[in-house]
Amino acid sequence: MAGVSLRSIIKRYGALQVVHGIDLEVAEQEFVVLVGPSGCGKSTTLRMIAGLEDISEGELSIDGRFMNRVAPKDRDVAMVFQNYALYPHLNVADNMAFGLRIRRMPKDQIATTISETAEILGLTDYLDRRPADLSGGQRQRVAMGRAIVRHPKVFLFDEPLSNLDAKLRTQMRAEIKRLHNRLGVTSIYVTHDQVEAMTLADRIVVMNDGRIEQVGTPMELFNNPVNTFVAGFLGSPPMNQVKGVLTETGARIGGMDVSLNGAINGHAGRDVIVGIRPEHVMLEPGDATSSLPIELDLVEPLGSEALLHARFGQDNMVFKADTNGEIAHLSGVKQVHVPADLIKLFDAETGRALELGA
């Protein structure tokens, strides 16, 4: 097990700079997820850690050892790719054992290692099968097993669930989390799926345009996004963001006044973005809530809850509501109520989160 340290890491392709001086410390046994939209630099960062991409500037250390110019095979990391990359002519056992044979591990030790890993991954009954005879989830487990048998210091996952259907992705997320809890190996996982990030990570690293926007636990980022990008990226559906202006007593959005949990401290008239999580609205008024009149456009049932798609002034907004087993009562919703302490404020110009005074 080992920690991973990235200090002022820059990646250039010729004159094009795609990673802009990122700093990140991954502790031993930690599961860190890099998440962000396509092209944000997350996979490039992972490949630099693996040694598959050269580092243009900065320092990479694994277990306290400077790694910039160390060959990939000598970094003691194991990578699981989006593409399973299994040898089609080899069975499961031989696919998992291939790297160990290259390293000239004794045959009896290889057999023991393969048996133990297959038991962990539920592959014992499939060791004699070839990849073509396996489901997508089983193939992904074989790819993970090939990494596990090496007993690396660090696991690297590059969008390993992207090729699976929704049900298998849910199953494999749980298996990866159980596997990490059991093995305790430092893991860095790349995905564009914020649900994967929220469910798997000890800490999430949100990236955008080659930069780190925010690092924190899933709930820290969900409850206290540092800017409008993070607020809009994490959460399903994402946070509603409405242009507004601060007043002496709160904020004004869409011609309506909403209460805020704190003092304005002389900032009345300041342009802001008001953030409201879909989960944080109420259909009935409560203590310290503000009412927003809405024009309901669509009710999207999801089972125990439904998504209410609505217009508020000139803005489209989405809210969540409990169905209590049926949705007929939701079609007549004319207003929602927002607790003051759950409203988030962001500067309209910079997008940075604002803190209200006590």
Side-chain angles (χ1 to χ4, degrees):
M1 294 175 290
V4 179
S5 176
L6 291 82
R7 300 188 184 94
S8 303
I9 296 293
I10 291 174
K11 176 61 181 177
R12 299 188 188 92
Y13 294 103
L16 177 64
Q17 186 166 313
V18 295
V19 176
H20 305 275
I22 64 174
D23 295 285
L24 179 65
E25 299 291 330
V26 180
E28 290 187 9
Q29 299 186 309
E30 190 175 26
F31 198 117
V32 168
V33 176
L34 308 183
V35 67
S38 296
C40 71
K42 55 189 185 296
S43 289
T44 300
T45 299
L46 195 76
R47 292 173 64 85
M48 285 191 285
I49 296 171
L52 303 178
E53 294 278 1
D54 292 332
I55 296 172
S56 302
E57 290 184 32
E59 295 184 2
L60 167 69
S61 298
I62 300 176
D63 197 20
R65 180 185 173 196
F66 182 71
M67 287 287 173
N68 286 46
R69 287 177 286 277
V70 175
K73 66 183 179 64
D74 298 323
R75 295 192 180 196
D76 203 6
V77 301
M79 193 162 180
V80 179
F81 297 89
Q82 178 180 350
N83 187 324
Y84 313 128
L86 302 177
Y87 296 106
H89 63 290
L90 299 180
N91 62 24
V92 169
D94 289 337
N95 263 287
M96 293 169 63
F98 187 84
L100 303 181
R101 290 176 179 147
I102 293 295
R103 291 170 174 77
R104 301 185 182 278
M105 179 183 286
K107 289 185 178 180
D108 57 342
Q109 191 174 344
I110 290 177
T112 300
T113 301
I114 297 301
S115 177
E116 291 174 350
T117 303
E119 181 68 25
I120 292 172
L121 294 172
L123 292 171
T124 301
D125 295 335
Y126 306 99
L127 290 175
D128 293 329
R129 295 190 187 183
R130 293 187 178 182
D133 301 321
L134 302 175
S135 69
Q138 290 165 345
R139 293 178 195 176
Q140 191 57 271
R141 289 204 298 270
V142 176
M144 291 169 58
R146 185 175 52 193
I148 292 170
V149 296
R150 293 178 51 193
H151 298 293
K153 290 181 178 178
V154 179
F155 281 133
L156 305 175
F157 298 89
D158 190 8
E159 303 199 38
L161 308 185
S162 294
N163 292 334
L164 305 181
D165 62 35
K167 183 178 180 181
L168 274 177
R169 281 201 303 272
T170 301
Q171 293 174 348
M172 287 301 299
R173 279 205 312 264
E175 289 189 24
I176 289 173
K177 191 65 175 181
R178 290 191 194 102
L179 187 64
H180 179 260
N181 291 340
R182 181 168 181 174
L183 301 178
V185 178
T186 306
S187 300
I188 304 175
Y189 187 106
V190 161
T191 182
H192 64 273
D193 187 334
Q194 56 92 16
V195 175
E196 282 183 27
M198 292 288 290
T199 54
L200 285 171
D202 294 325
R203 284 192 303 152
I204 295 174
V205 179
V206 180
M207 296 187 66
N208 182 33
D209 194 26
R211 296 177 174 85
I212 292 177
E213 296 284 352
Q214 188 173 3
V215 181
T217 67
M219 294 313 297
E220 284 174 348
L221 270 59
F222 182 81
N223 290 324
N224 297 295
V226 72
N227 57 29
T228 52
F229 177 83
V230 177
F233 193 83
L234 290 182
S236 181
M239 180 182 286
N240 297 295
Q241 299 181 27
V242 184
K243 291 181 179 180
V245 61
L246 292 180
T247 66
E248 293 293 345
T249 57
R252 191 166 184 82
I253 57 175
M256 300 295 298
D257 291 320
V258 294
S259 300
L260 300 174
N261 192 32
I264 304 303
N265 290 341
H267 291 290
R270 182 175 183 174
D271 291 330
V272 294
I273 301 294
V274 177
I276 303 171
R277 287 280 183 201
E279 300 83 359
H280 291 165
V281 300
M282 303 160 57
L283 299 187
E284 298 294 333
D287 294 337
T289 60
S290 300
S291 298
L292 301 181
I294 62 171
E295 184 179 334
L296 192 62
D297 179 53
L298 172 68
V299 177
E300 189 175 5
L302 301 176
S304 62
E305 61 187 13
L307 299 182
L308 307 183
H309 298 258
R311 294 279 298 173
F312 171 69
Q314 300 299 312
D315 296 287
N316 293 312
M317 303 181 77
V318 181
F319 309 108
K320 278 188 178 181
D322 293 333
T323 63
N324 298 318
E326 53 89 18
I327 63 170
H329 66 289
L330 297 177
S331 61
V333 172
K334 301 292 185 183
Q335 62 181 358
V336 294
H337 309 277
V338 187
D341 60 335
L342 296 179
I343 291 176
K344 301 298 179 184
L345 289 181
F346 305 91
D347 183 81
E349 183 177 349
T350 66
R352 303 294 294 179
L354 299 176
E355 292 291 337
L356 290 174

